[in-house]
Amino acid sequence: MAVMWPAQLPVWVRQDPRRKAEREVYERLSAALDNRWSVFYSRPWWGINSRGGEIDGEADFVVVHPEKGILVIEVKGGAILYDPVRDQWTSTDRNGVEHRIKDPVNQAMASKHQLLKKFAQSPLWPRSRVRMRHGAVFPDGDPPSSGPVGPHDRRLVCGATEFKYALDKWIESRLASHVDASRDNESGPGVDGLMAIEATIAAPVRLSVPLHRQVEVEMSMQDELLTGAQLLVISSVDGYSRVVIEGGAGTGKTIVGCELAARAARTGKTILFCCLSPALAAHVSRRLGTIAGLSIMTLSALAERKKIAPDEIWDVVLIDEGQDVDWGQWDLIESSLNPVHGYLRVFFDSNQAVYRSRDDLETRLQARSFPLRLNLRNTRKIALLTEKLYKGPLIQCVGPEGDMPVLLESPPTEALHCGVETVLTMVHEFLMLPTDIVLLVADEERAIKAAELLKLRKMKSTRAVLQEPGAIVVDTVAGFKGLEAAVVVMVVDHAVTSNQELSYVGVSRSRSRLVVVGNVQKSILGKAFDSFSSTEEDAASQGQSMS
């Protein structure tokens, strides 16, 4: 029995009535030839002609013997007819339907020449002339016993009778020498040539999923979760004039705020969306666009505006990152809210609360609290690390598993350069889009230096507040508060690693991939990494014991 490629025909081939003749030839070749023969079924080829145009085709069968040679076969079923007047071949199927077909012998010949070019590119291909022939098999009809078959020699064609009783002999005759042995300069491909053929038309291929595609898929899964998870809170707050919406990083506070602002605008209300960070205000502006009646600004900008227009009020006031608002600034916010029909929505992260607890704020504002308890930003592996730095109410991550955060230990003098090289590697080797990557550093001085290093490497950078197209965002950890990115590379120093809030803010910005660069030993962030690693090892051990 011949060595068949594939070893079994796929189901779709076995069930396709148009491939009946090919199935019969496959089975006959398998039975008629011994295991010194290799048979490759349905091998496509692609090439370029002398005019630079693309050409392509498919060899129905490539039959190989290491000593005897290679035969490329084209198969045509049905009743075959050649009309010399029109130079047209046709095949009539079992239902009497006539189909125009290409010249089968020419098809086999074209496949032979193109495949030979491919085989010859392999370093294993013999330097000597390899015997490679072509022919056609008609399993449903016999050509004339003598004379040509259309424009071709009768010996190039195997008819139904020969196919049934002497297919192996026809193949051997096609590969026989046309001269005596002393003058024959052709030979079979040999074992190395057979290996070259297998590598060219039968090599296994495993497509690796590139990093940029993994990130894209994970973010898509997170976005689908986000749509439904926040609807309950969005619909629930409508009945209350004052609410505090509490949740940790990644629970979708800003997204809920944007949706509430858009819904209020559709009802004709005036809206003020306010936060401390200029970068976050710019992000919200880009997300919502221009909407009639909507004002988006920082608290400092609001203070300046109220100096000019002290009586200006809005029907709906939304405050993002409310945990960072100074106690004295709430009077400014209250003076901006319609005192009769106003709605106040404050978004609050207990883990980042600098001045007070949520209960204090609820009392101060006389507001109703609504919790957000699902982390929909981070992958589960990143969330495991953020949980080690989180002290607020329990939240659950329901996103994709993702990859483990990476810690690149680096001396303080080399950390920034290492971080920049990591970013460049992601762009150039892993083909990540620059706009999907954020480089976070400890302070403004390092942010300026990082931008300079990227510029020297021909890489454009921008600040979070600008988000210029085609550029990598470089910003401070504190400046990126409230924002997120697909990939975060965070270069840390002692000021960051020893500060729980900054460590938490930094690692929780990443949606899919997180790389921390620097020295984290004997620090709050370092302990979080150590605890995270222990959790991973315990989970792996449990998985092995269960298996």
Side-chain angles (χ1 to χ4, degrees):
M1 181 178 291
V3 178
M4 305 300 292
W5 299 77
Q8 293 183 335
L9 289 176
V11 174
W12 66 270
V13 173
R14 297 199 302 267
Q15 294 178 348
D16 188 347
R18 296 169 298 178
R19 293 183 178 262
K20 177 178 178 295
E22 294 176 11
R23 291 197 300 271
E24 291 177 350
V25 174
Y26 177 94
E27 293 165 0
R28 190 79 189 98
L29 286 169
S30 176
L33 302 176
D34 62 37
N35 61 8
R36 294 174 296 174
W37 293 87
S38 295
V39 177
F40 302 86
Y41 168 63
S42 186
R43 300 293 125 168
W45 53 265
W46 174 90
I48 299 175
N49 62 24
S50 58
R51 298 181 299 277
E54 292 188 2
I55 53 176
D56 56 68
E58 177 190 32
D60 287 339
F61 292 93
V62 180
V63 182
V64 183
H65 191 287
E67 287 81 40
K68 299 179 186 294
I70 307 164
L71 179 63
V72 179
I73 298 174
E74 181 69 22
V75 177
K76 297 298 181 187
I80 305 299
L81 175 67
Y82 173 69
D83 182 352
V85 176
R86 297 182 298 156
D87 189 25
Q88 178 63 59
W89 292 77
T90 59
S91 171
T92 303
D93 63 27
R94 68 182 66 182
N95 298 316
V97 178
E98 184 179 85
H99 306 272
R100 289 187 177 187
I101 60 174
K102 295 179 180 179
D103 184 324
V105 178
N106 282 347
Q107 282 185 279
M109 181 173 62
S111 293
K112 176 186 71 174
H113 291 310
Q114 292 297 326
L115 288 173
L116 180 57
K117 292 179 183 178
K118 304 296 183 187
F119 299 156
Q121 294 173 10
S122 169
L124 295 173
W125 192 249
R127 295 182 179 275
S128 59
R129 184 181 178 87
V130 174
R131 181 176 294 118
M132 191 165 179
R133 308 275 173 79
H134 64 279
V137 173
F138 302 152
D140 297 325
D142 276 328
S145 57
S146 61
V149 180
H152 304 293
D153 190 285
R154 169 67 179 79
R155 289 171 291 183
L156 298 179
V157 176
C158 175
T161 301
E162 203 169 14
F163 169 70
K164 183 174 182 180
Y165 297 109
L167 177 61
D168 55 338
K169 292 183 173 58
W170 175 77
I171 291 173
E172 297 224 19
S173 70
R174 287 297 303 118
L175 295 176
S177 176
H178 298 311
V179 297
D180 61 65
S182 63
R183 293 187 295 130
D184 189 2
N185 65 350
E186 290 184 328
S187 63
V191 175
D192 285 348
L194 177 58
M195 292 174 63
I197 293 171
E198 291 178 358
T200 304
I201 62 175
V205 175
R206 180 174 182 173
L207 300 182
S208 61
V209 182
L211 177 62
H212 64 84
R213 180 57 181 162
Q214 295 177 40
V215 170
E216 181 183 341
V217 170
E218 289 172 0
M219 290 175 61
S220 175
M221 293 171 64
Q222 292 163 338
D223 289 341
E224 289 175 4
L225 290 168
L226 194 61
T227 302
Q230 309 308 317
L231 287 177
L232 179 61
V233 170
I234 291 170
S235 59
S236 298
V237 301
D238 287 344
Y240 301 89
S241 60
R242 292 168 170 260
V243 298
V244 173
I245 300 172
E246 180 199 18
T251 54
K253 298 184 295 296
T254 301
I255 293 176
V256 171
C258 289
E259 179 62 23
L260 290 174
R263 291 189 177 203
R266 288 196 290 268
T267 65
K269 293 182 175 66
T270 56
I271 308 104
L272 170 64
F273 196 115
C274 213
C275 57
L276 273 75
S277 164
L280 181 56
H283 167 75
V284 173
S285 295
R286 286 189 293 268
R287 186 180 184 95
L288 288 174
T290 303
I291 298 178
L294 172 63
S295 301
I296 302 170
M297 65 189 77
T298 63
L299 275 174
S300 58
L302 175 63
E304 293 301 315
R305 183 160 171 168
K306 292 291 283 184
K307 291 177 182 177
I308 300 171
D311 296 329
E312 185 175 15
I313 57 174
W314 288 266
D315 299 322
V316 180
V317 174
L318 300 109
I319 306 297
D320 203 358
E321 301 293 342
Q323 74 279 351
D324 294 339
V325 176
D326 184 77
W327 199 252
Q329 291 177 304
W330 287 107
D331 290 336
L332 171 66
I333 294 169
E334 291 281 9
S335 70
S336 303
L337 180 67
N338 185 325
V340 180
H341 303 296
Y343 292 86
L344 178 64
R345 278 80 177 93
V346 178
F347 298 90
F348 186 96
D349 185 342
S350 296
N351 197 61
Q352 300 180 55
V354 176
Y355 297 107
R356 69 204 55 82
S357 70
R358 180 205 64 200
D359 293 339
D360 291 339
L361 188 61
E362 286 179 38
T363 302
R364 166 69 174 80
L365 300 178
Q366 298 181 358
R368 170 71 182 271
S369 175
F370 285 87
L372 291 171
R373 294 288 182 259
L374 296 180
N375 178 350
L376 303 170
R377 173 191 295 159
N378 309 129
T379 61
R380 296 186 187 187
K381 290 290 178 62
I382 294 174
L384 280 175
L385 180 59
T386 64
E387 287 169 6
K388 308 303 178 183
L389 300 163
Y390 183 71
K391 300 300 182 183
L394 180 66
I395 59 174
Q396 180 181 3
C397 182
V398 294
E401 188 70 16
D403 279 1
M404 291 178 62
V406 175
L407 174 60
L408 299 179
E409 290 278 4
S410 177
T413 56
E414 300 175 12
L416 190 60
H417 286 81
C418 182
V420 169
E421 288 299 323
T422 301
V423 168
L424 294 171
T425 298
M426 288 186 170
V427 173
H428 296 313
E429 294 186 21
F430 294 108
L431 304 181
M432 291 294 303
L433 292 175
T435 50
D436 285 338
I437 304 172
V438 169
L439 176 60
L440 297 182
V441 295
D443 52 41
E444 284 293 330
E445 182 181 349
R446 289 183 176 89
I448 294 170
K449 179 62 175 176
E452 292 173 350
L453 291 172
L454 287 168
K455 186 177 181 180
L456 288 173
R457 303 294 293 274
K458 311 299 183 184
M459 185 62 66
K460 183 180 178 183
S461 66
T462 183
R463 299 304 292 264
V465 70
L466 299 176
Q467 292 274 324
E468 295 177 7
I472 292 171
V473 169
V474 177
D475 220 313
T476 64
V477 174
F480 205 67
K481 198 170 187 178
L483 303 175
E484 62 184 31
V487 177
V488 170
V489 177
M490 184 168 69
V491 179
V492 298
D493 65 359
H494 181 72
V496 173
T497 61
S498 60
N499 184 305
Q500 180 174 319
E501 183 192 356
L502 285 178
S503 294
Y504 171 73
V505 169
V507 301
S508 63
R509 299 307 97 194
S510 175
R511 296 189 63 182
S512 180
R513 293 296 185 277
L514 172 65
V515 180
V516 176
V517 184
N519 183 4
V520 301
Q521 295 180 10
K522 298 180 180 180
S523 68
I524 293 173
L525 181 56
K527 291 177 182 178
F529 261 104
D530 292 340
S531 178
F532 167 75
S533 299
S534 300
T535 302
E536 282 293 293
E537 290 173 2
D538 292 343
S541 299
Q542 291 178 5
Q544 291 175 359
S545 63
M546 291 178 66
S547 60

